[in-house]
Amino acid sequence: MTGVSEEAVLAIDMGGTKVAVASVGGEVIRDRRQIATPRTGKGADLVQAIVREIGPVPATRRIAVATTGVVREGCLTALNPSTLPIEDDFPLAAAIKEATGVEPLVINDAQAAAWAEYRYGAGRGCRTFAFVTISTGIGAGIVTEGRLLIGQAGLAGHVGHVVAVRSGPPCGCGRRGCLETLASGTAIGRRGSEVLGRPVTAPEVFAEATGGNAEASALLDDAAGHLANAFADLTAVCDLDVIAIGGGVGLAPGFLDRVRRAMLDLPPTFRRPLTLAQAGADAGLLGAAALVSA
């Protein structure tokens, strides 16, 4: 990466389809680039691809990694292997340190993005705040009293794997009826294909709804209803001040209003202000860099 100051953090954001790398200082992102995520199921291949992209790293450089999945003591496990195929408990931090000579901070991507929103975006000034990303899957990060919740096993915030319908579709995590199986972009595409009678993606379902297709619109309202109930559950547990949503589905035109309407069916005690995320698509990079700099 050229033109990178040694004071800036080398930030990496690993998702199921892409890996982004950049130099991050505060809210400023420079030299951003991305590659396709190797989906061989081998963590070593993923690390090798990252190292090829970032090149030599000075020993004084800080590295921060945000990744999908559950991170525990630097080891990565895919809660839903269909999102990121990798060996269970893969020693990601150790592998990156071995390849670069620098020990990285490794954290879940939704947790990192929540910290970015808390520091720089929709969560500023909140005592208790949740960021929920609704995209291929569903994840979340929670900040309470200025502290990011991670948990002893790194599981905090995985709201996509709370059960919304006990007899619902099987989830890659091993449970049934998880929120992710009913309201994620993957779920919307799957359910839309069933309803519309042809293979469609989530963006195509949104396009159909915008064009006046009542079945597509009802499907999106159903997804919004499941999310509203999950937000009520989060509020009951954490007494949230504000909830911000992001991701391809969360930021899709009109979807915020659908979820807000669904929340009106909740008792007032469980309603909280709902807004769009503000830190941008690279919130994971920003949050991870801010955490390693703290």
Side-chain angles (χ1 to χ4, degrees):
M1 299 176 67
T2 59
V4 176
S5 88
E6 291 195 11
E7 292 77 18
V9 175
L10 175 56
I12 302 165
D13 187 359
M14 292 172 26
T17 59
K18 58 87 178 171
V19 177
V21 298
S23 175
V24 179
E27 297 179 66
V28 179
I29 297 175
R30 294 189 176 92
D31 300 327
R32 185 194 183 283
R33 62 184 74 183
Q34 71 181 47
I35 58 173
T37 301
R39 296 182 60 84
T40 63
K42 297 179 180 179
D45 292 341
L46 183 57
V47 171
Q48 186 179 51
I50 291 171
V51 170
R52 279 199 305 266
E53 186 62 29
I54 64 178
V57 179
T60 57
R61 195 75 187 278
R62 292 166 297 172
I63 300 178
V65 181
T67 177
T68 185
V70 178
V71 179
R72 181 178 184 179
E73 297 180 351
C75 295
L76 174 62
T77 297
L79 190 55
N80 186 347
S82 66
T83 302
L84 178 65
I86 196 169
E87 304 97 322
D88 285 349
D89 220 26
F90 177 75
L92 181 61
I96 291 175
K97 181 180 179 180
E98 182 178 359
T100 65
V102 178
E103 184 166 2
L105 169 79
V106 181
I107 188 168
N108 169 264
D109 54 358
Q111 293 170 349
W115 189 247
E117 287 292 338
Y118 175 73
R119 288 283 303 272
Y120 310 124
R124 280 179 291 193
C126 292
R127 291 181 62 185
T128 306
F129 166 75
F131 163 73
V132 181
T133 178
I134 312 155
S135 189
T136 304
I138 297 176
I142 301 165
V143 179
T144 180
E145 304 293 347
R147 185 171 65 93
L148 177 65
L149 298 184
I150 297 173
Q152 61 89 17
L155 193 60
H158 279 80
V159 68
H161 298 284
V162 299
V163 172
V165 177
R166 283 186 61 188
S167 59
C171 181
C173 75
R175 306 179 81 189
R176 296 191 70 93
C178 290
L179 181 65
E180 191 166 285
T181 69
L182 297 165
S184 66
T186 302
I188 289 170
R190 186 197 74 245
R191 299 176 71 196
S193 299
E194 295 168 357
V195 168
L196 299 175
R198 67 181 191 280
V200 293
T201 62
E204 289 170 325
V205 174
F206 275 94
E208 287 286 338
T210 300
N213 187 305
E215 290 179 313
S217 184
L219 189 158
L220 294 178
D221 283 339
D222 186 67
H226 288 302
L227 287 162
N229 280 321
F231 297 165
D233 291 343
L234 272 179
T235 298
V237 173
C238 300
D239 196 9
L240 299 168
D241 295 337
V242 173
I243 303 166
I245 60 174
V249 172
L251 298 177
F255 194 68
L256 175 70
D257 290 335
R258 289 181 187 271
V259 183
R260 282 176 170 167
R261 286 196 297 270
M263 291 176 75
L264 293 176
D265 292 333
L266 300 170
T269 300
F270 300 100
R271 299 177 200 159
R272 290 296 186 273
L274 182 69
T275 187
L276 293 178
Q278 299 172 7
D282 286 323
L285 293 172
L286 290 171
L291 285 164
V292 80
S293 300

